[in-house]
Amino acid sequence: MSHPDLSALVNGLFLGAAKDRWEGKPPSAIQKDPVSGPQDVSFTGLYGDQQADLTVHGGAEKAIHHYALEHYTTWQAEGHMAPSKYPAAFGENISTRGLTEYNLCIGDILTLGTATVQISQGRQPCWKLGLHTGNEKMPYLFQKTGRTGWYYRVLEPGSVASGDKVTLVERRHPDWSVKRVTQARLTRRVSPQEAEVLASIDDLAPGWRAAFARMAEGAMQEDTSARLGI
């Protein structure tokens, strides 16, 4: 299948360890710090990166989180974020310009340095995002705007460094941009017919497929209190 000529340079790689960040709250690894030089990419992500709660973060379907650097300018222009707050303010592993939720699709296969990765899902924001950014509305704003970034599963391990290319090599679901699918997942404003189609997309992360299967059957309500901390 033909695909757009899309590529970008990696302008930042970020890793973090799980730490106690907030009194009375569980540990978090959302704080990611820049690293230099080539980084190994395994089936579970960048070597040396951690996630605190593996029931909701990390794993093969959320191996690497990629965020568009240009979104920071928008957040700042809207008054939601201080200019000093980027990059990696959202806990992302990779930063680029030119690749966004609008021009990438679920199931897209890309080369990342010498590794090969595939977009598995968007991101569901949690309460840690609000505390980490200092803006308690940020989880809601992530959902409202769709500027969530996206996750990769790793198809072929390799290595990546700042300055390496991220290049789209295969597009499997051109109708389903990351933005469209993520907004459908987070807002649950999706027709039963569309939800049924999404539930059948093998390249979509199993958890998201299961959620869309429930929506296809008419179960549009979802308890998000634990994720959003409310």
Side-chain angles (χ1 to χ4, degrees):
M1 186 179 292
S2 63
H3 58 80
D5 185 14
L6 280 177
S7 68
L9 297 180
V10 175
N11 54 32
L13 290 172
F14 311 96
L15 308 179
K19 299 173 184 174
D20 287 312
R21 295 283 308 279
W22 307 289
E23 189 175 349
K25 298 281 190 181
S28 172
I30 195 171
Q31 173 68 45
K32 305 294 184 188
D33 298 308
V35 292
S36 59
Q39 305 297 315
D40 289 333
V41 179
S42 75
F43 286 115
T44 53
L46 293 166
Y47 182 76
D49 192 43
Q50 288 185 354
Q51 294 81 32
D53 183 355
L54 291 174
T55 64
V56 292
H57 297 118
E61 296 297 314
K62 297 181 184 177
I64 298 170
H65 184 246
H66 188 159
Y67 201 79
L69 186 62
E70 53 262 49
H71 288 340
Y72 281 96
T73 306
T74 307
W75 289 119
Q76 290 157 9
E78 292 170 349
H80 297 308
M81 176 171 279
S84 60
K85 275 287 187 181
Y86 76 96
F90 299 120
E92 65 265 31
N93 300 118
I94 295 175
S95 176
T96 61
R97 287 187 187 277
L99 301 176
T100 70
E101 298 84 356
Y102 290 91
N103 62 19
L104 291 174
C105 296
I106 293 296
D108 277 357
I109 296 173
L110 305 97
T111 53
L112 174 65
T114 64
T116 303
V117 296
Q118 183 178 35
I119 298 178
S120 55
Q121 63 190 90
R123 177 175 173 179
Q124 292 174 276
C126 73
W127 56 268
K128 294 175 185 177
L129 191 64
L131 290 177
H132 182 60
T133 59
N135 183 346
E136 63 183 13
K137 294 181 179 178
M138 193 55 79
Y140 163 76
L141 293 168
F142 247 47
Q143 295 199 170
K144 180 182 176 183
T145 63
R147 299 194 294 259
T148 67
W150 54 93
Y151 284 105
Y152 294 121
R153 65 172 66 91
V154 176
L155 301 182
E156 294 179 20
S159 67
V160 61
S162 290
D164 283 354
K165 267 191 173 182
V166 187
T167 302
L168 177 65
V169 294
E170 183 179 345
R171 170 150 293 170
R172 296 159 65 91
H173 307 285
D175 293 336
W176 296 104
S177 70
V178 173
K179 167 84 180 223
R180 183 182 180 191
V181 177
T182 303
Q183 292 239 275
R185 175 72 186 91
L186 296 180
T187 67
R188 298 180 292 285
R189 289 198 289 270
V190 58
S191 72
Q193 294 78 15
E194 287 182 325
E196 190 171 1
V197 172
L198 286 163
S200 71
I201 294 177
D202 288 341
D203 293 326
L204 189 59
W208 281 42
R209 292 182 64 196
F212 283 121
R214 292 191 293 272
M215 293 180 209
E217 294 168 359
M220 303 306 287
Q221 299 303 310
E222 183 177 15
D223 183 1
T224 58
S225 58
R227 174 166 62 84
L228 297 177
I230 54 178

